Structures are given as structure tokens and as C-alpha cells.
Amino acid sequence: MATRTTAAPSATDSLLIVGAENAGVLTQIADASSLSLDDAAARLRDARRVFVLGAGRSGLALRMTAMRLMHLGLDVHVVGETTTPAICNGDVLLVASGSGTTAAIVRAAGTAAAAGADIIAMTTAPESPLAELSQVTVVIPAAQKQDHDGQHSAQYAGSLFEQAVLSAGDAIFHTLWKASGATAEELWLRHANLE
Amino acid sequence: MATRTTAAPSATDSLLIVGAENAGVLTQIADASSLSLDDAAARLRDARRVFVLGAGRSGLALRMTAMRLMHLGLDVHVVGETTTPAICNGDVLLVASGSGTTAAIVRAAGTAAAAGADIIAMTTAPESPLAELSQVTVVIPAAQKQDHDGQHSAQYAGSLFEQAVLSAGDAIFHTLWKASGATAEELWLRHANLE
Amino acid sequence: MATRTTAAPSATDSLLIVGAENAGVLTQIADASSLSLDDAAARLRDARRVFVLGAGRSGLALRMTAMRLMHLGLDVHVVGETTTPAICNGDVLLVASGSGTTAAIVRAAGTAAAAGADIIAMTTAPESPLAELSQVTVVIPAAQKQDHDGQHSAQYAGSLFEQAVLSAGDAIFHTLWKASGATAEELWLRHANLE
Amino acid sequence: MATRTTAAPSATDSLLIVGAENAGVLTQIADASSLSLDDAAARLRDARRVFVLGAGRSGLALRMTAMRLMHLGLDVHVVGETTTPAICNGDVLLVASGSGTTAAIVRAAGTAAAAGADIIAMTTAPESPLAELSQVTVVIPAAQKQDHDGQHSAQYAGSLFEQAVLSAGDAIFHTLWKASGATAEELWLRHANLE
């Protein structure tokens, strides 16, 4: 009699999978990219303006970081939103791409580099075209979007990478916030008040 | 001589704080909201259409979930985007609010309920107005946006809540995906191809 | 035998209807709101920062204006986008609502006023709650969204109003641009370069 | 003595310039693209799904059209928004580019064509790469974004083109609406109700 041997996990099982995979990848980032993370934080703090760019869910994760950096008082723009201007010399582009080869992302990074901006890349691939264009590479040893073999993560496509982009962005923010000496109440005053 | 006794954490220290706080909150969700998570997954799967809504970073985290549910083949809309229609009977609203009291969010949930839609809420507050309007409440025991005392989390404002919204959304997706029997390659065909 | 006496217009017929209605409403605005338009232009030019807000298609029309004001070098934010901060004293809110009673819009305008920002409203209704909150009201004598009787316009709902919001915004921009003395080439350098 | 002979126009003067330029270009579209407009309307009506795409202000104008087509009951997606899926055979891409050469737009149109979708282009350039990829070209004889000589329009860059994209989109909608026999009240039920 044929039996279905692998039942689908409950949502709680899945949550524990997500949690375990994140714990693993964050430890690996801490081990391997410690200097990069601090370098990224310092460059964001000192940038004339910060631009963030990512495709799909990576882009949404970076928008979460962008919002926090605005709360901190930085001048931050999301590529593709209405009032985002041209990137120039002295600006920093924070960009995420699992593979480091997403064509539109690599093209944009090339434009930013040619304009004189510095680039901070979050990617799984330290040898990728995106990493080569970047002053700082935060290596996130997770699956890329097109790794469908389940070898690096049981989760679908780049999910683990995208979760780690959020954690890395929030870690950079946390460090900048604590170093700034500003209180939570001071940041709170910058939160959007017309929605 | 006055000395600064607490130095700012390095970005790696911050990453480990983020990781530890997430591990803790995910375990608590798994303990306390196990049935809610599976109930949420089942209702999303069976919905005529899914709408997602959240303010600020909670909304961005839910957009990440919305994109995945689209990859799975569901009919999903983000409130506030251009072609999102009216919510109706048979639809499900997935909504996130740390406090469960954000005025615009509670108003929208009330409208959705009046239109006959079911509501799934992610919130820290199981007794909140938002939770009362909801068929399913996924309780996330993290700080709310305006908890500035650092008691529930060392991170700023609702950061831990927003990170957990992403994890919970991705866990629900993972369970629905595995239960669907679809391969990663099948989902991949639905990824946006014009960006 | 029953016959269908009114055939649907061809798309060209429709284009001529759109054109004629716009010509009419722009003449009326020029007659009735001449001082308001120049006042609006001056306040936008002198604002510390400009925020734009509108629901649905009115909001999209204002985003088109917001992008141009950014090209001109102003510091402009779209309410609801990721890095839009809190509005404060010295800022200007440019807002559009056909009826002048859209609840979320009036609430936001009230918040902006309480924060000390000036308000410029585009509306069909000079006696509306929105107009009363505003320092400048540009009256656009077109149908509102819920005028379904076809009396003010053959077009659907607020279409004519929304088209006029775009024209009025572009007129304000044109005046500010010409008064600035900047060349087109100078503005061009500010156009987004990473998309 | 050097004198400044050309004062900046008042905002009302500018509004009349905008109005006159639009009246002119809409007449030209009606003369030259009459069949294309009706062809575009028919293809949008019969499409499995409609996708819209444009850069900058052209994209915002098309979003206004996309919202209306949703109100009419079509299945419409904006390229770049969160839940927009892959374009496929049987879908229609409505795209606008003044020059018809914007690299990202032409690439996307090529992808859409390769996937078997039909393309409707609004452009000033009937011989452009974009027009060549398209089944229907609506020619809008206005300035392109990089025409800075003021020959085709006194307005900045592609402003007149973008205004005409809105008018052409609204004309197509008006025809489809009238042909559908639906009342304004029926369409109104589809308007977003959670904002």
C-alpha cells in the first residue's frame, strides 16, 4: 500500500525551521563578516545620502532598514520611489542580491559606482559581479533565489537570505543608534505622522 | 573623572542580540500560538482573495509574505497599492499591529469585518480592539512600537515584533507550500519577470 | 422593436471629450483661482519641506507633481512612501480631495495643521472641512468622485478632477521652474539614475 | 542697459500653456492614432490579464489608468508592485516611453513579447525599438524627456507626453466603460475600501 511518508509540517514546525535556520546563518555572518558589518555601519553613518536597492523581497527587507535609518536622522532614499533623486559622489548605495548577478541590480550598482557613490552589498556570493563593484561586502551564507535543491535551506528560494538581510540591516541600525546616544523618544519624533 | 561605561555594541554584537531575541520570541509563539498559526494558514489557503495591511515596517514585512503567497498561486492584494480592489465577503484580511490599537488599522479591520471578510491579526495584544475584530489572533509576545523602556527587547521600538511578523508569515507560507505538493520550480514560474 | 440608440463612443470620441472637458475646467480654474495658484507656488518654493497626499488617483497625480518638485531641487516627500518622516512646523502639505471630506485625508490635514505645517488644498469644494484647514485652496470646479449623475462631467467619477490636479500641479511647477532661472539640463541631473 | 525681457509666467499663465498644449496634442492623436486607440481598447478588454509599465511620471500616469481598468473589473497589475506575477501568453502589456528607447522598458517589452504577451505602446516615436516590439502603437506627438530645446513644448522634458498618456488612458477607459453598459454605481463597488 502506497503511503505518504512525508506529511507537511505544521505551521509551528515551520516556524521552528525558520528560527533554526536564522540562528545558524546569523552565527555564520557574525563569524565571517564581522569587520564588514562595522564597516557598513560606519559608511552609512557618514554618507551624504543613503540609497537602498533590491529586487522583490530583498528590496522590501532593505526598505525596512531604510525606514529605520530615516528614524535615526539620515537622508535616505528607496530606489524606485517617487522622489528619489540621482545618486552622486559622496552617496552610499546599500544593495542586496542573493546571487550577486541579478542583471538590473548589477547595472544599477555600476551606474552608482560610475557616479562616484560607494556601494555596500549584501550577497551570498563574495566573488560575484556585484561584490566586485562594492567597497563593502556583507556575505550572507544562505541559499540564493534559484537554489531549488534545498541544500542550503529547507525554505523556498531566497527566503533565508531575505530574512538575514532584515536581521543584518536591523543589527547595523542598532549599533548606529546606540553609538548615536539618541533616546528612543528622540527617534520617535521622526516617525511618519500623516498615515 | 566621568567615564562612558557602556560602549555601543559592535554590529556583530547587535546581530547576535537580534538573533537571540528572535530565537526567544519564535519559541514563545510556537508555545502559545500553535493552533492560531495553523488556523491562519488554513484560512489563507481557502480565502477567495487575501488582503494584507500594516503600518510602516509591519506593512513591509507583510508585503514580503504577500509576495510569497502570490508565488504559491493565491490571489493576493496589498492595501494601498494601485490595483487593490474593495474587500468583500469571502476574502481574508491579514493584518499586523503591535499594539492592536493603531487607529487607521483598527478602522480598516472594522470595515473589512463589516464587508464580511475574515480577519487574521498578528499582534502583541490579545485583548486589543484589533484582536477582538479578528477570527484568528497570532500573539507575538514582543515589544510594541511605543514600548521605549527596553523591557521586552533591547531593540528599538517594534523591531522585534516586525522581525517576528516576517518569520510567522514565512512559516505559514512554508507549511502551505509543503502541503500543496508544488515544486520550487513551479512556484518560480510565477515570479515577476518584467523588473 | 427596441433599439439601442446610444452607441458607445469610439476611443477617439472619448479623447475629444476628455480634451474638451479639460479645456473647460482649466479656463474656470484660471478665472477663479488665479491668486490661489500663485500663492500655492510661492509657498511650495519657500517651504522647509513639501509633503504630498491624496487618495487613489488624486494621490498618483500629486506624485507626478512631487517628482517634478524634486527635479527642481525641493525637499519633497510622498505620504505613505518608505522614508517619509514626520511633518513639522515650517513644512507644507499639498493635498488633493475632490469632495474635501475624505475622512483619512481630513484627519491627516488636521494632524499637519496641529504640527504647524501650512496646507495647500486642491478640491472642488471651497467650503469643505479640508478647505477650512487650508491656508490656500485651489478650487477645481469638476465633479467629485461620488458625483455619479454625469452632470459636471461625462467622465467616470473624479476623472476630470484628477486630470485637473495634474494640470494644476504641472502649471505650478512650470512657473517655479521659469522663475528659478535653471535650465532643463540642470534639472535633468536630478532625475533618478538607478532604475 | 541689460534688461530681463522675459518675466516668469504667473501660475495661471502656465495653466493656460498646459491647457493649450494638451488641446493641441490630443487633436493630433485623434487625427493620427484613431485606429490604434480603438485597437488598444479592444485588446485591453479581451486580455487575460493587463500589466502596465512606465518609468517615472509615465509610470505614474499609467497607474492611474490601471486603477480605472481595475474599477471596470479587469485583472490588472502594475509592474514593480508587490503581488504582480509573471506575464504570460494571453496577457497584454500596456507600456509608455516617450523616446521608445528607455533601456529598462525596451528590455521588459522584449521579455513580455518572448513570453507571448501582446504589447500596446504609447510613445512619441513610431519607429523606435519599443514600437517595433508592439502590436499596437499609440503615437503621441509630444516632446520626449530629453528634448530640452523647447521646440515641441514649452513645458519641461516629457511633461506634455505624460499628460497625454493620462488623457489617452482615460479615453480608452471611457470607451470601454460606455461599451460595457455598467453604471457608475457598479464600478464604485470595486473602489478600494480599506484606505
Side-chain angles (χ1 to χ4, degrees):
Chain A
M1 191 186 79
T3 55
R4 190 167 176 208
T5 48
T6 359
S10 72
T12 301
D13 291 342
S14 296
L15 190 67
L16 296 176
I17 291 168
V18 169
E21 290 197 349
N22 271 274
V25 80
L26 298 188
T27 305
Q28 287 181 276
I29 297 171
D31 285 349
S33 284
S34 184
L35 293 176
S36 295
L37 277 176
D38 279 315
D39 193 0
R43 286 173 190 262
L44 291 169
R45 183 195 59 210
D46 297 338
R48 192 170 77 99
R49 299 178 303 184
V50 174
F51 291 68
V52 308
L53 171 66
R57 288 176 27 117
S58 298
L60 290 165
L62 285 183
R63 287 194 202 191
M64 294 176 76
T65 298
M67 195 179 285
R68 274 291 180 267
L69 295 178
M70 176 275 283
H71 294 156
L72 199 57
L74 303 189
D75 189 356
V76 192
H77 299 276
V78 175
V79 175
E81 293 201 338
T82 304
T83 57
T84 298
I87 199 167
C88 299
N89 193 35
D91 296 331
V92 167
L93 176 66
L94 172 62
V95 61
S97 163
S99 67
T101 63
T102 317
I105 301 292
V106 175
R107 266 193 302 270
T111 302
D118 278 352
I119 300 172
I120 300 169
M122 296 186 180
T123 179
T124 68
E127 313 290 331
S128 61
L130 180 62
E132 275 165 34
L133 284 163
S134 302
Q135 276 69 42
V136 183
T137 303
V138 175
V139 179
I140 296 179
Q144 306 168 19
K145 250 198 250 186
Q146 297 195 53
D147 286 345
H148 294 161
D149 58 6
Q151 211 178 321
H152 298 77
S153 165
Q155 295 186 70
Y156 174 66
S159 295
L160 178 56
F161 174 74
E162 296 140 10
Q163 293 152 8
V165 167
L166 174 59
S167 294
D170 278 355
I172 287 170
F173 162 80
H174 187 71
T175 283
L176 290 175
W177 173 40
K178 289 301 172 184
S180 76
T183 64
E185 287 73 14
E186 288 173 271
L187 270 62
W188 188 252
L189 295 174
R190 296 199 188 91
H191 280 239
N193 58 358
L194 297 186
E195 290 174 52
Chain B
M1 189 186 81
T3 55
R4 189 167 175 207
T5 48
T6 356
S10 72
T12 301
D13 291 342
S14 296
L15 190 67
L16 296 175
I17 292 169
V18 170
E21 290 197 349
N22 270 274
V25 81
L26 297 188
T27 305
Q28 287 180 277
I29 297 170
D31 284 351
S33 283
S34 183
L35 294 176
S36 295
L37 277 177
D38 279 316
D39 193 0
R43 285 174 191 262
L44 291 169
R45 182 195 61 211
D46 297 338
R48 192 170 77 99
R49 298 178 302 183
V50 174
F51 291 67
V52 308
L53 171 65
R57 288 177 26 119
S58 299
L60 290 166
L62 285 182
R63 287 194 201 190
M64 294 177 76
T65 298
M67 195 180 284
R68 275 290 180 265
L69 296 177
M70 176 275 283
H71 294 156
L72 199 56
L74 303 188
D75 189 356
V76 192
H77 299 275
V78 175
V79 175
E81 293 201 340
T82 305
T83 57
T84 299
I87 199 167
C88 299
N89 193 34
D91 295 331
V92 168
L93 175 66
L94 173 62
V95 62
S97 163
S99 67
T101 62
T102 316
I105 301 292
V106 174
R107 267 194 301 270
T111 302
D118 279 353
I119 300 172
I120 300 169
M122 296 186 180
T123 179
T124 68
E127 313 291 331
S128 61
L130 180 62
E132 276 165 34
L133 283 163
S134 302
Q135 276 69 41
V136 183
T137 304
V138 176
V139 180
I140 296 179
Q144 306 168 19
K145 251 198 252 186
Q146 297 195 54
D147 286 346
H148 295 162
D149 59 4
Q151 210 178 322
H152 297 77
S153 165
Q155 295 186 71
Y156 175 66
S159 295
L160 178 57
F161 174 74
E162 296 141 8
Q163 292 152 8
V165 167
L166 174 59
S167 293
D170 279 356
I172 288 171
F173 162 79
H174 187 72
T175 283
L176 290 175
W177 173 41
K178 289 301 172 184
S180 76
T183 63
E185 286 74 13
E186 289 173 271
L187 269 62
W188 188 252
L189 296 173
R190 295 197 188 92
H191 280 239
N193 57 357
L194 297 187
E195 291 174 51
Chain C
M1 191 187 79
T3 55
R4 188 162 177 212
T5 49
T6 354
S10 71
T12 301
D13 291 342
S14 296
L15 190 67
L16 297 175
I17 292 169
V18 170
E21 291 196 349
N22 271 274
V25 81
L26 297 189
T27 305
Q28 287 180 278
I29 297 171
D31 285 350
S33 284
S34 183
L35 294 176
S36 296
L37 277 176
D38 279 316
D39 194 0
R43 285 173 190 263
L44 291 168
R45 182 196 60 210
D46 296 338
R48 192 170 77 99
R49 298 178 302 183
V50 174
F51 290 68
V52 308
L53 172 65
R57 288 177 26 118
S58 298
L60 290 165
L62 285 183
R63 287 194 202 190
M64 294 176 76
T65 298
M67 195 180 284
R68 275 291 180 266
L69 295 178
M70 176 275 283
H71 294 155
L72 198 57
L74 303 188
D75 188 357
V76 192
H77 299 276
V78 175
V79 175
E81 293 201 341
T82 305
T83 57
T84 299
I87 200 168
C88 299
N89 193 34
D91 295 331
V92 168
L93 176 66
L94 172 61
V95 61
S97 164
S99 67
T101 63
T102 316
I105 301 292
V106 175
R107 265 193 303 270
T111 302
D118 278 353
I119 299 172
I120 300 169
M122 296 186 179
T123 178
T124 68
E127 313 290 331
S128 61
L130 180 62
E132 275 164 35
L133 284 163
S134 301
Q135 276 68 42
V136 183
T137 304
V138 176
V139 180
I140 297 179
Q144 305 168 18
K145 251 198 251 187
Q146 297 195 53
D147 286 345
H148 294 162
D149 59 5
Q151 211 178 321
H152 297 78
S153 165
Q155 295 186 72
Y156 174 66
S159 295
L160 178 57
F161 174 74
E162 295 140 10
Q163 292 151 9
V165 166
L166 175 59
S167 294
D170 279 354
I172 288 170
F173 162 80
H174 187 71
T175 283
L176 290 175
W177 174 40
K178 289 301 172 186
S180 76
T183 64
E185 286 73 14
E186 288 173 272
L187 270 62
W188 188 251
L189 295 174
R190 294 198 190 92
H191 280 239
N193 57 357
L194 296 187
E195 291 174 51
Chain D
M1 189 187 78
T3 56
R4 190 167 175 209
T5 49
T6 357
S10 72
T12 301
D13 292 342
S14 296
L15 190 67
L16 297 176
I17 292 169
V18 170
E21 291 197 349
N22 271 275
V25 81
L26 297 189
T27 305
Q28 287 180 277
I29 297 170
D31 285 350
S33 284
S34 183
L35 293 176
S36 296
L37 277 176
D38 279 315
D39 194 0
R43 285 173 190 262
L44 290 169
R45 182 195 60 209
D46 297 339
R48 193 170 77 98
R49 299 178 302 183
V50 174
F51 291 68
V52 307
L53 172 65
R57 287 176 27 117
S58 298
L60 290 165
L62 285 182
R63 287 194 203 191
M64 293 176 77
T65 298
M67 195 180 284
R68 275 289 180 266
L69 295 178
M70 176 275 283
H71 294 156
L72 199 56
L74 302 189
D75 189 356
V76 192
H77 299 276
V78 175
V79 175
E81 293 201 340
T82 305
T83 58
T84 299
I87 200 168
C88 299
N89 194 33
D91 296 330
V92 167
L93 175 66
L94 173 61
V95 61
S97 164
S99 67
T101 61
T102 317
I105 301 292
V106 174
R107 267 193 301 269
T111 302
D118 279 352
I119 300 172
I120 300 169
M122 297 187 179
T123 179
T124 67
E127 313 290 331
S128 60
L130 181 62
E132 275 165 35
L133 283 163
S134 302
Q135 276 69 43
V136 183
T137 304
V138 176
V139 180
I140 296 179
Q144 306 168 18
K145 251 197 252 187
Q146 297 195 52
D147 287 345
H148 294 162
D149 58 6
Q151 211 179 323
H152 297 78
S153 165
Q155 295 186 73
Y156 174 65
S159 295
L160 178 57
F161 174 74
E162 296 139 10
Q163 293 152 7
V165 167
L166 175 59
S167 294
D170 278 355
I172 288 171
F173 162 79
H174 188 71
T175 284
L176 290 175
W177 173 40
K178 289 301 172 185
S180 76
T183 64
E185 287 74 14
E186 288 173 271
L187 269 63
W188 188 251
L189 296 173
R190 294 197 190 92
H191 279 239
N193 58 357
L194 296 187
E195 292 174 53

